[in-house]
Amino acid sequence: MLKAVAVLPAGIRATVAETAGTAVLAHDERHLRRKAITLSDGGRILVDLPEPVMLSAGDGLVLEDGRHVVIAAAVEDLLEISRFDAGAIRL
């Protein structure tokens, strides 16, 4: 299993030549330090970073062989919260 050893922020990622794949991760899955993750093509990599990071969509993980994996944000349900308006209640 290939190991991811560094993070490239989205703006810097374009300087790396070859992409090894894409990892589609939910918000809570993008906060990591050491974890095996599955790529969209079914491959797996081990993320092994020196300290915890919060990845954003478009960031890249640098693999030991110099290639990188692009991080994509998974589609997630959102909960809408609004304030309670006591004036709207009529008895």
Side-chain angles (χ1 to χ4, degrees), residues 3-5 14-15 17 19 27 46 60-63 66 69 75 79 84:
K3 191 187 304 185
V5 294
T15 62
T19 301
H27 182 268
L46 174 64
L61 292 170
V62 181
L63 301 176
V69 171
V75 175
L79 179 64
F84 177 72

Side-chain angles (χ1 to χ4, degrees), residues 25-28 30 73-78:
L25 304 173
H27 182 268
D28 60 332
R30 287 183 271 133
V75 175
E76 298 183 77
D77 292 330
L78 296 177

Side-chain angles (χ1 to χ4, degrees), residues 77-85:
D77 292 330
L78 296 177
L79 179 64
E80 181 179 347
I81 299 173
S82 59
R83 68 180 183 87
F84 177 72
D85 186 2

Side-chain angles (χ1 to χ4, degrees), residues 17-79:
E18 189 179 349
T19 301
T22 301
V24 180
L25 304 173
H27 182 268
D28 60 332
E29 296 172 323
R30 287 183 271 133
H31 186 249
L32 48 88
R33 188 194 80 73
R34 183 173 169 85
K35 181 179 183 179
I37 59 174
T38 303
L39 306 181
S40 21
D41 67 1
R44 291 179 56 85
I45 64 168
L46 174 64
V47 179
D48 188 15
L49 303 172
E51 57 187 55
V53 296
M54 183 64 194
L55 299 171
S56 297
D59 287 346
L61 292 170
V62 181
L63 301 176
E64 294 172 304
D65 65 2
R67 295 181 299 156
H68 70 280
V69 171
V70 179
I71 302 300
V75 175
E76 298 183 77
D77 292 330
L78 296 177
L79 179 64

